[in-house]
Amino acid sequence: MGQLLDKLPASSRVAVIRLRSLGDCVLTTPAIALLKAHRPDLEIAVVVEGRFKGVFEGNPDISALLPPEPFSNWKPRLTLNFHGGTRSMWLTAASRAKYRAGFAHHAYSFLYNQRIPRAQQTLGEERPVHTAEHLASAMFWLGVPRTEIPRAKLFAPPHDPVAPYTVIHPFASAPEKAWAPDRFLAVARQLRQSGLDPVFLSGPADDPSPFHEFRIHRNAPLSEVKSVLSGAQLFIGNDSGPAHIAAAFGIPVVVLFGPSNPVTWAPWRTEAQVLTSPEGMSGISIAQVNTAAETLRVNA
């Protein structure tokens, strides 16, 4: 196992490349928290696209947010590539960092002088691992002592609701990952009858018109999305980024999975009901979702 962190002088700069994807960005924060807890002297920057930098804003573990452009003038001692795509590999090489690290399975990993092995090898357990475990294993290999991997770490302005509410996110990045809108509508009406006001989230490419009878936050900035989710009593939605944001705030979540692997992408460190079906999303019933939501409310 590497002990690279012992070689970094005090107050060294570390650049973590995590360009995009909401869930991936959220699940990068436990690894950063582990690094900062072990070496609080380090200055940590995250290299991230502008539309996702809100995930990291307000996080005291992070000293800077850098755009996905050459950042050698920031003078990192260590560049850690968590993204693995072509552009991130180019940025890693262009960083001029003394140490360039990333997972050995990345394409073009010959650009690294520190190749991080599979999480299973580092953790000593041959099993499927969660994304948070996968990223944290890199920190353990670099020299952070093995410890419990924390919950994702997000910060948001306080939200002051007028009544208890549930956040529903009925959209997804692909049709096979999305439950039918009429089923979400039925669940929302049941929640309203039970005393929880449904609040919907939608992005710029989503059609929220089926849910017009409820409050909708459409194409809201990430700061607002985080704030709304942080104040919810419950989250219900497809496997997507907002589910991971809710989990980061410890909100109980009901998540519906289609083709994605729940072992890898389930909500991390929160009370959760994960629903799947051999038939895909269409095999998950309204009754199952209502029962899952009620179970979480009873256990809260």
Side-chain angles (χ1 to χ4, degrees):
M1 180 175 292
Q3 295 296 320
L4 173 61
L5 295 180
D6 293 339
K7 302 175 184 178
L8 296 184
S11 303
S12 291
R13 290 182 165 184
V14 177
V16 178
I17 300 177
R18 174 71 274 172
L19 298 184
R20 72 179 77 91
S21 298
L22 190 53
D24 287 304
C25 287
V26 172
L27 293 172
T28 297
T29 63
I32 292 174
L34 289 168
L35 176 60
K36 189 67 173 179
H38 176 60
R39 286 288 304 271
D41 60 295
L42 296 178
E43 290 187 53
I44 301 172
V46 176
V47 182
V48 61
E49 294 178 356
R51 57 187 169 143
F52 296 110
K53 72 177 185 177
V55 171
F56 303 102
E57 287 175 343
N59 190 329
D61 295 337
I62 298 169
S63 300
L65 295 173
L66 306 177
E69 302 167 357
F71 54 88
S72 59
N73 59 349
W74 197 72
K75 299 181 179 179
R77 191 82 168 190
L78 164 64
T79 294
L80 176 57
N81 186 3
F82 273 163
H83 192 81
T86 303
R87 182 165 56 148
S88 68
M89 299 301 295
W90 174 74
L91 289 169
T92 301
S95 71
R96 300 183 183 177
K98 180 176 181 179
Y99 303 108
R100 300 180 305 279
F103 287 102
H105 67 262
H106 287 167
Y108 309 107
S109 64
F110 64 86
L111 294 171
Y112 302 142
N113 54 28
Q114 304 290 320
R115 295 178 182 85
I116 301 169
R118 297 168 60 244
Q120 288 84 352
Q121 182 178 334
T122 299
L123 299 175
E125 300 179 56
E126 196 58 42
R127 59 173 176 81
V129 298
H130 193 278
T131 300
E133 295 177 292
H134 169 66
L135 299 175
S137 75
M139 299 305 183
F140 298 146
W141 187 85
L142 291 170
V144 173
R146 283 284 300 275
T147 187
E148 183 175 281
I149 301 166
R151 178 184 287 163
K153 194 172 183 179
L154 271 62
F155 295 83
H159 189 73
D160 187 18
V162 296
Y165 63 95
T166 295
V167 172
I168 299 178
H169 183 246
F171 306 103
S173 59
E176 64 271 17
K177 297 179 67 175
W179 205 42
D182 62 315
R183 296 188 181 190
F184 275 114
L185 191 59
V187 168
R189 288 169 175 162
Q190 175 63 32
L191 286 166
R192 184 169 56 188
Q193 291 179 4
S194 69
L196 276 182
D197 185 27
V199 175
F200 283 80
L201 296 178
S202 74
D206 301 326
D207 176 17
S209 60
F211 315 108
H212 64 88
E213 65 192 83
F214 301 104
R215 184 153 50 103
I216 300 169
H217 292 263
R218 183 173 190 183
N219 199 23
L222 265 176
S223 59
E224 181 180 326
V225 171
K226 290 191 297 182
S227 180
V228 170
L229 284 165
S230 71
Q233 277 64 52
L234 182 66
F235 172 90
I236 300 174
N238 302 313
D239 165 40
S240 61
H244 295 293
I245 294 177
F249 289 112
I251 306 304
V253 298
V254 178
V255 184
L256 290 67
F257 274 83
S260 301
N261 185 351
V263 174
T264 304
W265 291 107
W268 182 249
R269 301 281 189 219
T270 195
E271 290 292 323
Q273 292 280 316
V274 174
L275 303 180
T276 63
S277 170
E279 303 167 26
M281 298 295 272
S282 63
I284 302 173
S285 70
I286 295 170
Q288 284 177 286
V289 176
N290 285 336
T291 299
E294 185 59 30
T295 299
L296 290 175
R297 292 181 66 184
V298 169
N299 293 339

